[in-house]
Amino acid sequence: MNSFSESYKAAGVDVTAGYKSVELMKKHVARTKTDGVVSGIGGFGGLFAPDLKGIKEPVLVSGTDGVGTKLKLAFLLDKHDTIGIDAVAMCVNDIICCGAKPLFFLDYIAIGKNYPEKVAEIVSGIAEGCVRSGCALVGGETAEHPGLMPIDEYDVAGFSVGIADKADMIDSSKLASGDVLIGLRSSGVHSNGFSLVRKVFSIDENTINNTYPELSKPLGETLLTPTKIYVKPVLSLIKSVEVKAVSHITGGGFYENVPRMLKDGFCAEIKKDAVPVLPIFNVIQRVGNISEHDMFNTFNMGVGMICAVAEQDADKALEVLKENGEDAVVLGRIKEGEKGVEFV
């Protein structure tokens, strides 16, 4: 390829670096190929042909998100191979809340200066997230932004599209008093609340590697743990029992996200001592002197996703989740009342 602009390079954009980035990321993208992929990367659009056999009334379900200020930790640690998992997770975990299977993902990376090896490292994480969720990385965009952002920084966002049969979609309409709430454990802070986290620990190059007795790893490494992807265990659960409602516990914690899985006239009663609180949250609360309410209104506290099933299906649900690598817990029940969350 003889595409090269000396003038553009002098302005801060090296198009040849972009070409090298694409070459370096191809091996990572190849890992995500599924049966529906029609095109490779490099074209103007990612092509995907969904298998509609057995789906009577297909509904496309989409989700988009970014990683947020968690990126600051990746910059400080100079570790960029997991942050892409977060970008995928934040999208596909939303999609499965209505019972849809993610089909494909596209990313957008805005970067101060295109260092091909760094871009490939970021994409390796995105590809890993796609593999974990069973969807294909069909395209993306890397945009070099000299003068708009520091040369060593970047932002990562993306979106995913999934599919569901309309008749099988989860919409909370079948929720009933007595239904059991099952919590799927989180891997850590995931990708929300990091503006507060960074304030609590005054995170910079001097504090990023601090250690705490409760943590098995340094602070930065603990916080950078990628968001858990729940697609495969939840889809397996849906095939085994009737899942009546699902909530992805993201920014806003329990108080904001649990009501989104409820229908009017019903409340979620959660036993506080049933929540498997991770040590990192105890450290955040202690160091930041944060109220318990604010902790549950900001973080996942150790539970990344909640599913509601009928009482008679609860044991089966726990068994299926365990078979899929999830050490799930019973958190509480659905009861009649004002829509919201009650801790007991």
PDB file of all heavy atoms in Angstrom, residues 7-42:
ATOM      1  N   SER A   7       2.407  15.428   5.223  1.00  0.00           N
ATOM      2  CA  SER A   7       1.751  16.579   5.833  1.00  0.00           C
ATOM      3  C   SER A   7       0.855  16.155   6.993  1.00  0.00           C
ATOM      4  O   SER A   7       0.832  16.794   8.056  1.00  0.00           O
ATOM      5  CB  SER A   7       0.925  17.334   4.784  1.00  0.00           C
ATOM      6  OG  SER A   7       1.745  17.814   3.742  1.00  0.00           O
ATOM      7  N   TYR A   8       0.097  15.068   6.800  1.00  0.00           N
ATOM      8  CA  TYR A   8      -0.808  14.579   7.848  1.00  0.00           C
ATOM      9  C   TYR A   8       0.007  14.082   9.048  1.00  0.00           C
ATOM     10  O   TYR A   8      -0.341  14.310  10.209  1.00  0.00           O
ATOM     11  CB  TYR A   8      -1.684  13.461   7.287  1.00  0.00           C
ATOM     12  CG  TYR A   8      -3.032  13.309   7.941  1.00  0.00           C
ATOM     13  CD1 TYR A   8      -3.508  14.215   8.886  1.00  0.00           C
ATOM     14  CD2 TYR A   8      -3.864  12.242   7.597  1.00  0.00           C
ATOM     15  CE1 TYR A   8      -4.749  14.065   9.480  1.00  0.00           C
ATOM     16  CE2 TYR A   8      -5.109  12.078   8.182  1.00  0.00           C
ATOM     17  CZ  TYR A   8      -5.547  13.002   9.128  1.00  0.00           C
ATOM     18  OH  TYR A   8      -6.785  12.842   9.702  1.00  0.00           O
ATOM     19  N   LYS A   9       1.127  13.402   8.755  1.00  0.00           N
ATOM     20  CA  LYS A   9       1.987  12.921   9.826  1.00  0.00           C
ATOM     21  C   LYS A   9       2.549  14.083  10.634  1.00  0.00           C
ATOM     22  O   LYS A   9       2.636  14.042  11.867  1.00  0.00           O
ATOM     23  CB  LYS A   9       3.131  12.080   9.262  1.00  0.00           C
ATOM     24  CG  LYS A   9       4.020  11.463  10.340  1.00  0.00           C
ATOM     25  CD  LYS A   9       5.073  10.557   9.744  1.00  0.00           C
ATOM     26  CE  LYS A   9       5.937   9.930  10.839  1.00  0.00           C
ATOM     27  NZ  LYS A   9       6.979   9.031  10.276  1.00  0.00           N
ATOM     28  N   ALA A  10       2.930  15.178   9.941  1.00  0.00           N
ATOM     29  CA  ALA A  10       3.454  16.361  10.620  1.00  0.00           C
ATOM     30  C   ALA A  10       2.397  17.009  11.508  1.00  0.00           C
ATOM     31  O   ALA A  10       2.715  17.670  12.502  1.00  0.00           O
ATOM     32  CB  ALA A  10       3.960  17.369   9.595  1.00  0.00           C
ATOM     33  N   ALA A  11       1.115  16.789  11.166  1.00  0.00           N
ATOM     34  CA  ALA A  11       0.020  17.330  11.969  1.00  0.00           C
ATOM     35  C   ALA A  11      -0.325  16.423  13.145  1.00  0.00           C
ATOM     36  O   ALA A  11      -1.167  16.766  13.980  1.00  0.00           O
ATOM     37  CB  ALA A  11      -1.216  17.527  11.096  1.00  0.00           C
ATOM     38  N   GLY A  12       0.323  15.239  13.198  1.00  0.00           N
ATOM     39  CA  GLY A  12       0.128  14.348  14.341  1.00  0.00           C
ATOM     40  C   GLY A  12      -0.576  13.056  14.042  1.00  0.00           C
ATOM     41  O   GLY A  12      -0.782  12.242  14.941  1.00  0.00           O
ATOM     42  N   VAL A  13      -0.973  12.819  12.787  1.00  0.00           N
ATOM     43  CA  VAL A  13      -1.678  11.585  12.431  1.00  0.00           C
ATOM     44  C   VAL A  13      -0.843  10.789  11.447  1.00  0.00           C
ATOM     45  O   VAL A  13      -0.580  11.239  10.327  1.00  0.00           O
ATOM     46  CB  VAL A  13      -3.066  11.879  11.809  1.00  0.00           C
ATOM     47  CG1 VAL A  13      -3.743  10.583  11.401  1.00  0.00           C
ATOM     48  CG2 VAL A  13      -3.927  12.644  12.796  1.00  0.00           C
ATOM     49  N   ASP A  14      -0.426   9.592  11.865  1.00  0.00           N
ATOM     50  CA  ASP A  14       0.390   8.722  11.024  1.00  0.00           C
ATOM     51  C   ASP A  14      -0.492   7.597  10.485  1.00  0.00           C
ATOM     52  O   ASP A  14      -0.796   6.636  11.196  1.00  0.00           O
ATOM     53  CB  ASP A  14       1.550   8.157  11.838  1.00  0.00           C
ATOM     54  CG  ASP A  14       2.511   7.337  11.001  1.00  0.00           C
ATOM     55  OD1 ASP A  14       2.218   7.114   9.811  1.00  0.00           O
ATOM     56  OD2 ASP A  14       3.548   6.904  11.537  1.00  0.00           O
ATOM     57  N   VAL A  15      -0.929   7.720   9.240  1.00  0.00           N
ATOM     58  CA  VAL A  15      -1.846   6.722   8.683  1.00  0.00           C
ATOM     59  C   VAL A  15      -1.187   5.359   8.580  1.00  0.00           C
ATOM     60  O   VAL A  15      -1.860   4.320   8.670  1.00  0.00           O
ATOM     61  CB  VAL A  15      -2.378   7.165   7.301  1.00  0.00           C
ATOM     62  CG1 VAL A  15      -3.262   8.390   7.437  1.00  0.00           C
ATOM     63  CG2 VAL A  15      -1.244   7.415   6.317  1.00  0.00           C
ATOM     64  N   THR A  16       0.122   5.326   8.415  1.00  0.00           N
ATOM     65  CA  THR A  16       0.801   4.021   8.328  1.00  0.00           C
ATOM     66  C   THR A  16       0.742   3.289   9.663  1.00  0.00           C
ATOM     67  O   THR A  16       0.712   2.053   9.700  1.00  0.00           O
ATOM     68  CB  THR A  16       2.272   4.189   7.889  1.00  0.00           C
ATOM     69  OG1 THR A  16       2.952   5.026   8.827  1.00  0.00           O
ATOM     70  CG2 THR A  16       2.354   4.812   6.512  1.00  0.00           C
ATOM     71  N   ALA A  17       0.723   4.028  10.776  1.00  0.00           N
ATOM     72  CA  ALA A  17       0.571   3.393  12.089  1.00  0.00           C
ATOM     73  C   ALA A  17      -0.793   2.722  12.185  1.00  0.00           C
ATOM     74  O   ALA A  17      -0.938   1.659  12.788  1.00  0.00           O
ATOM     75  CB  ALA A  17       0.737   4.418  13.201  1.00  0.00           C
ATOM     76  N   GLY A  18      -1.796   3.357  11.576  1.00  0.00           N
ATOM     77  CA  GLY A  18      -3.130   2.768  11.554  1.00  0.00           C
ATOM     78  C   GLY A  18      -3.156   1.453  10.803  1.00  0.00           C
ATOM     79  O   GLY A  18      -3.785   0.482  11.229  1.00  0.00           O
ATOM     80  N   TYR A  19      -2.446   1.402   9.675  1.00  0.00           N
ATOM     81  CA  TYR A  19      -2.389   0.164   8.897  1.00  0.00           C
ATOM     82  C   TYR A  19      -1.700  -0.940   9.696  1.00  0.00           C
ATOM     83  O   TYR A  19      -2.123  -2.100   9.680  1.00  0.00           O
ATOM     84  CB  TYR A  19      -1.640   0.386   7.578  1.00  0.00           C
ATOM     85  CG  TYR A  19      -2.209   1.495   6.724  1.00  0.00           C
ATOM     86  CD1 TYR A  19      -1.371   2.302   5.949  1.00  0.00           C
ATOM     87  CD2 TYR A  19      -3.571   1.735   6.678  1.00  0.00           C
ATOM     88  CE1 TYR A  19      -1.881   3.323   5.162  1.00  0.00           C
ATOM     89  CE2 TYR A  19      -4.093   2.749   5.893  1.00  0.00           C
ATOM     90  CZ  TYR A  19      -3.243   3.546   5.139  1.00  0.00           C
ATOM     91  OH  TYR A  19      -3.759   4.559   4.378  1.00  0.00           O
ATOM     92  N   LYS A  20      -0.632  -0.560  10.410  1.00  0.00           N
ATOM     93  CA  LYS A  20       0.083  -1.554  11.206  1.00  0.00           C
ATOM     94  C   LYS A  20      -0.786  -2.070  12.344  1.00  0.00           C
ATOM     95  O   LYS A  20      -0.778  -3.256  12.664  1.00  0.00           O
ATOM     96  CB  LYS A  20       1.380  -0.959  11.766  1.00  0.00           C
ATOM     97  CG  LYS A  20       2.217  -1.985  12.529  1.00  0.00           C
ATOM     98  CD  LYS A  20       3.533  -1.410  13.034  1.00  0.00           C
ATOM     99  CE  LYS A  20       4.335  -2.474  13.778  1.00  0.00           C
ATOM    100  NZ  LYS A  20       5.609  -1.942  14.323  1.00  0.00           N
ATOM    101  N   SER A  21      -1.577  -1.174  12.943  1.00  0.00           N
ATOM    102  CA  SER A  21      -2.486  -1.578  14.021  1.00  0.00           C
ATOM    103  C   SER A  21      -3.454  -2.653  13.530  1.00  0.00           C
ATOM    104  O   SER A  21      -3.697  -3.653  14.207  1.00  0.00           O
ATOM    105  CB  SER A  21      -3.275  -0.369  14.544  1.00  0.00           C
ATOM    106  OG  SER A  21      -2.436   0.566  15.145  1.00  0.00           O
ATOM    107  N   VAL A  22      -4.001  -2.436  12.339  1.00  0.00           N
ATOM    108  CA  VAL A  22      -4.947  -3.396  11.768  1.00  0.00           C
ATOM    109  C   VAL A  22      -4.279  -4.748  11.556  1.00  0.00           C
ATOM    110  O   VAL A  22      -4.848  -5.800  11.860  1.00  0.00           O
ATOM    111  CB  VAL A  22      -5.541  -2.867  10.446  1.00  0.00           C
ATOM    112  CG1 VAL A  22      -6.377  -3.950   9.769  1.00  0.00           C
ATOM    113  CG2 VAL A  22      -6.395  -1.629  10.708  1.00  0.00           C
ATOM    114  N   GLU A  23      -3.056  -4.739  11.048  1.00  0.00           N
ATOM    115  CA  GLU A  23      -2.342  -5.998  10.821  1.00  0.00           C
ATOM    116  C   GLU A  23      -2.094  -6.734  12.127  1.00  0.00           C
ATOM    117  O   GLU A  23      -2.248  -7.951  12.215  1.00  0.00           O
ATOM    118  CB  GLU A  23      -1.012  -5.730  10.100  1.00  0.00           C
ATOM    119  CG  GLU A  23      -1.160  -5.357   8.647  1.00  0.00           C
ATOM    120  CD  GLU A  23      -1.912  -6.413   7.854  1.00  0.00           C
ATOM    121  OE1 GLU A  23      -1.583  -7.609   7.998  1.00  0.00           O
ATOM    122  OE2 GLU A  23      -2.844  -6.046   7.119  1.00  0.00           O
ATOM    123  N   LEU A  24      -1.715  -5.992  13.175  1.00  0.00           N
ATOM    124  CA  LEU A  24      -1.412  -6.611  14.459  1.00  0.00           C
ATOM    125  C   LEU A  24      -2.658  -7.162  15.151  1.00  0.00           C
ATOM    126  O   LEU A  24      -2.576  -8.132  15.908  1.00  0.00           O
ATOM    127  CB  LEU A  24      -0.713  -5.603  15.381  1.00  0.00           C
ATOM    128  CG  LEU A  24       0.703  -5.191  14.998  1.00  0.00           C
ATOM    129  CD1 LEU A  24       1.218  -4.102  15.942  1.00  0.00           C
ATOM    130  CD2 LEU A  24       1.650  -6.392  15.028  1.00  0.00           C
ATOM    131  N   MET A  25      -3.819  -6.536  14.902  1.00  0.00           N
ATOM    132  CA  MET A  25      -5.024  -6.977  15.597  1.00  0.00           C
ATOM    133  C   MET A  25      -5.750  -8.125  14.893  1.00  0.00           C
ATOM    134  O   MET A  25      -6.635  -8.747  15.477  1.00  0.00           O
ATOM    135  CB  MET A  25      -5.986  -5.798  15.795  1.00  0.00           C
ATOM    136  CG  MET A  25      -6.630  -5.286  14.544  1.00  0.00           C
ATOM    137  SD  MET A  25      -7.820  -3.934  14.809  1.00  0.00           S
ATOM    138  CE  MET A  25      -6.793  -2.586  15.347  1.00  0.00           C
ATOM    139  N   LYS A  26      -5.367  -8.416  13.657  1.00  0.00           N
ATOM    140  CA  LYS A  26      -6.103  -9.430  12.891  1.00  0.00           C
ATOM    141  C   LYS A  26      -6.134 -10.789  13.590  1.00  0.00           C
ATOM    142  O   LYS A  26      -7.152 -11.484  13.579  1.00  0.00           O
ATOM    143  CB  LYS A  26      -5.501  -9.565  11.494  1.00  0.00           C
ATOM    144  CG  LYS A  26      -5.940  -8.474  10.528  1.00  0.00           C
ATOM    145  CD  LYS A  26      -5.374  -8.696   9.130  1.00  0.00           C
ATOM    146  CE  LYS A  26      -5.889  -7.639   8.162  1.00  0.00           C
ATOM    147  NZ  LYS A  26      -5.328  -7.808   6.801  1.00  0.00           N
ATOM    148  N   LYS A  27      -5.016 -11.178  14.214  1.00  0.00           N
ATOM    149  CA  LYS A  27      -4.986 -12.483  14.878  1.00  0.00           C
ATOM    150  C   LYS A  27      -5.944 -12.527  16.064  1.00  0.00           C
ATOM    151  O   LYS A  27      -6.500 -13.584  16.398  1.00  0.00           O
ATOM    152  CB  LYS A  27      -3.570 -12.816  15.326  1.00  0.00           C
ATOM    153  CG  LYS A  27      -3.000 -11.876  16.383  1.00  0.00           C
ATOM    154  CD  LYS A  27      -1.582 -12.277  16.765  1.00  0.00           C
ATOM    155  CE  LYS A  27      -1.000 -11.327  17.813  1.00  0.00           C
ATOM    156  NZ  LYS A  27       0.401 -11.699  18.171  1.00  0.00           N
ATOM    157  N   HIS A  28      -6.147 -11.388  16.705  1.00  0.00           N
ATOM    158  CA  HIS A  28      -7.073 -11.342  17.832  1.00  0.00           C
ATOM    159  C   HIS A  28      -8.517 -11.397  17.344  1.00  0.00           C
ATOM    160  O   HIS A  28      -9.355 -12.103  17.915  1.00  0.00           O
ATOM    161  CB  HIS A  28      -6.842 -10.072  18.653  1.00  0.00           C
ATOM    162  CG  HIS A  28      -5.450  -9.923  19.176  1.00  0.00           C
ATOM    163  ND1 HIS A  28      -4.865 -10.858  20.006  1.00  0.00           N
ATOM    164  CD2 HIS A  28      -4.511  -8.954  18.972  1.00  0.00           C
ATOM    165  CE1 HIS A  28      -3.636 -10.473  20.302  1.00  0.00           C
ATOM    166  NE2 HIS A  28      -3.400  -9.326  19.687  1.00  0.00           N
ATOM    167  N   VAL A  29      -8.795 -10.652  16.281  1.00  0.00           N
ATOM    168  CA  VAL A  29     -10.148 -10.645  15.714  1.00  0.00           C
ATOM    169  C   VAL A  29     -10.534 -12.031  15.223  1.00  0.00           C
ATOM    170  O   VAL A  29     -11.681 -12.475  15.381  1.00  0.00           O
ATOM    171  CB  VAL A  29     -10.247  -9.620  14.565  1.00  0.00           C
ATOM    172  CG1 VAL A  29     -11.628  -9.679  13.911  1.00  0.00           C
ATOM    173  CG2 VAL A  29      -9.965  -8.211  15.071  1.00  0.00           C
ATOM    174  N   ALA A  30      -9.565 -12.755  14.655  1.00  0.00           N
ATOM    175  CA  ALA A  30      -9.831 -14.094  14.112  1.00  0.00           C
ATOM    176  C   ALA A  30     -10.360 -15.051  15.185  1.00  0.00           C
ATOM    177  O   ALA A  30     -11.146 -15.964  14.883  1.00  0.00           O
ATOM    178  CB  ALA A  30      -8.566 -14.662  13.483  1.00  0.00           C
ATOM    179  N   ARG A  31      -9.969 -14.836  16.433  1.00  0.00           N
ATOM    180  CA  ARG A  31     -10.415 -15.700  17.531  1.00  0.00           C
ATOM    181  C   ARG A  31     -11.915 -15.602  17.764  1.00  0.00           C
ATOM    182  O   ARG A  31     -12.525 -16.514  18.336  1.00  0.00           O
ATOM    183  CB  ARG A  31      -9.707 -15.327  18.834  1.00  0.00           C
ATOM    184  CG  ARG A  31      -8.216 -15.531  18.865  1.00  0.00           C
ATOM    185  CD  ARG A  31      -7.663 -15.119  20.226  1.00  0.00           C
ATOM    186  NE  ARG A  31      -8.300 -15.846  21.310  1.00  0.00           N
ATOM    187  CZ  ARG A  31      -8.643 -15.308  22.479  1.00  0.00           C
ATOM    188  NH1 ARG A  31      -8.441 -14.019  22.697  1.00  0.00           N
ATOM    189  NH2 ARG A  31      -9.196 -16.036  23.423  1.00  0.00           N
ATOM    190  N   THR A  32     -12.515 -14.507  17.330  1.00  0.00           N
ATOM    191  CA  THR A  32     -13.918 -14.255  17.646  1.00  0.00           C
ATOM    192  C   THR A  32     -14.877 -14.690  16.549  1.00  0.00           C
ATOM    193  O   THR A  32     -16.088 -14.542  16.697  1.00  0.00           O
ATOM    194  CB  THR A  32     -14.148 -12.752  17.917  1.00  0.00           C
ATOM    195  OG1 THR A  32     -14.147 -12.027  16.668  1.00  0.00           O
ATOM    196  CG2 THR A  32     -13.072 -12.182  18.824  1.00  0.00           C
ATOM    197  N   LYS A  33     -14.353 -15.200  15.458  1.00  0.00           N
ATOM    198  CA  LYS A  33     -15.214 -15.520  14.311  1.00  0.00           C
ATOM    199  C   LYS A  33     -16.243 -16.579  14.666  1.00  0.00           C
ATOM    200  O   LYS A  33     -15.935 -17.619  15.229  1.00  0.00           O
ATOM    201  CB  LYS A  33     -14.374 -15.986  13.127  1.00  0.00           C
ATOM    202  CG  LYS A  33     -15.186 -16.166  11.853  1.00  0.00           C
ATOM    203  CD  LYS A  33     -14.309 -16.496  10.653  1.00  0.00           C
ATOM    204  CE  LYS A  33     -15.149 -16.616   9.401  1.00  0.00           C
ATOM    205  NZ  LYS A  33     -14.320 -16.925   8.207  1.00  0.00           N
ATOM    206  N   THR A  34     -17.485 -16.287  14.325  1.00  0.00           N
ATOM    207  CA  THR A  34     -18.575 -17.240  14.523  1.00  0.00           C
ATOM    208  C   THR A  34     -19.216 -17.530  13.168  1.00  0.00           C
ATOM    209  O   THR A  34     -18.871 -16.918  12.160  1.00  0.00           O
ATOM    210  CB  THR A  34     -19.643 -16.672  15.491  1.00  0.00           C
ATOM    211  OG1 THR A  34     -20.206 -15.476  14.921  1.00  0.00           O
ATOM    212  CG2 THR A  34     -19.028 -16.339  16.840  1.00  0.00           C
ATOM    213  N   ASP A  35     -20.178 -18.444  13.167  1.00  0.00           N
ATOM    214  CA  ASP A  35     -20.778 -18.888  11.897  1.00  0.00           C
ATOM    215  C   ASP A  35     -21.441 -17.763  11.113  1.00  0.00           C
ATOM    216  O   ASP A  35     -21.544 -17.825   9.895  1.00  0.00           O
ATOM    217  CB  ASP A  35     -21.811 -19.994  12.158  1.00  0.00           C
ATOM    218  CG  ASP A  35     -21.149 -21.294  12.612  1.00  0.00           C
ATOM    219  OD1 ASP A  35     -19.934 -21.451  12.375  1.00  0.00           O
ATOM    220  OD2 ASP A  35     -21.839 -22.129  13.228  1.00  0.00           O
ATOM    221  N   GLY A  36     -21.907 -16.716  11.788  1.00  0.00           N
ATOM    222  CA  GLY A  36     -22.629 -15.664  11.079  1.00  0.00           C
ATOM    223  C   GLY A  36     -21.755 -14.620  10.413  1.00  0.00           C
ATOM    224  O   GLY A  36     -22.259 -13.786   9.651  1.00  0.00           O
ATOM    225  N   VAL A  37     -20.448 -14.639  10.685  1.00  0.00           N
ATOM    226  CA  VAL A  37     -19.570 -13.618  10.131  1.00  0.00           C
ATOM    227  C   VAL A  37     -19.434 -13.782   8.619  1.00  0.00           C
ATOM    228  O   VAL A  37     -19.094 -14.859   8.129  1.00  0.00           O
ATOM    229  CB  VAL A  37     -18.176 -13.666  10.794  1.00  0.00           C
ATOM    230  CG1 VAL A  37     -17.239 -12.652  10.147  1.00  0.00           C
ATOM    231  CG2 VAL A  37     -18.295 -13.393  12.288  1.00  0.00           C
ATOM    232  N   VAL A  38     -19.689 -12.701   7.885  1.00  0.00           N
ATOM    233  CA  VAL A  38     -19.624 -12.719   6.425  1.00  0.00           C
ATOM    234  C   VAL A  38     -18.352 -12.049   5.928  1.00  0.00           C
ATOM    235  O   VAL A  38     -17.755 -12.464   4.936  1.00  0.00           O
ATOM    236  CB  VAL A  38     -20.862 -12.027   5.806  1.00  0.00           C
ATOM    237  CG1 VAL A  38     -20.740 -11.960   4.289  1.00  0.00           C
ATOM    238  CG2 VAL A  38     -22.139 -12.760   6.212  1.00  0.00           C
ATOM    239  N   SER A  39     -17.922 -10.989   6.632  1.00  0.00           N
ATOM    240  CA  SER A  39     -16.777 -10.213   6.157  1.00  0.00           C
ATOM    241  C   SER A  39     -15.669 -10.187   7.187  1.00  0.00           C
ATOM    242  O   SER A  39     -15.900 -10.373   8.381  1.00  0.00           O
ATOM    243  CB  SER A  39     -17.211  -8.771   5.862  1.00  0.00           C
ATOM    244  OG  SER A  39     -17.666  -8.152   7.059  1.00  0.00           O
ATOM    245  N   GLY A  40     -14.453  -9.933   6.712  1.00  0.00           N
ATOM    246  CA  GLY A  40     -13.337  -9.712   7.607  1.00  0.00           C
ATOM    247  C   GLY A  40     -13.218  -8.233   7.904  1.00  0.00           C
ATOM    248  O   GLY A  40     -13.943  -7.414   7.353  1.00  0.00           O
ATOM    249  N   ILE A  41     -12.264  -7.850   8.795  1.00  0.00           N
ATOM    250  CA  ILE A  41     -12.098  -6.436   9.104  1.00  0.00           C
ATOM    251  C   ILE A  41     -11.393  -5.734   7.948  1.00  0.00           C
ATOM    252  O   ILE A  41     -10.686  -6.352   7.166  1.00  0.00           O
ATOM    253  CB  ILE A  41     -11.316  -6.230  10.416  1.00  0.00           C
ATOM    254  CG1 ILE A  41      -9.902  -6.840  10.321  1.00  0.00           C
ATOM    255  CG2 ILE A  41     -12.061  -6.832  11.575  1.00  0.00           C
ATOM    256  CD1 ILE A  41      -9.022  -6.489  11.505  1.00  0.00           C
ATOM    257  N   GLY A  42     -11.621  -4.455   7.837  1.00  0.00           N
ATOM    258  CA  GLY A  42     -10.973  -3.671   6.788  1.00  0.00           C
ATOM    259  C   GLY A  42     -11.945  -3.057   5.806  1.00  0.00           C
ATOM    260  O   GLY A  42     -11.609  -2.128   5.083  1.00  0.00           O
TER     261      GLY A  42
END
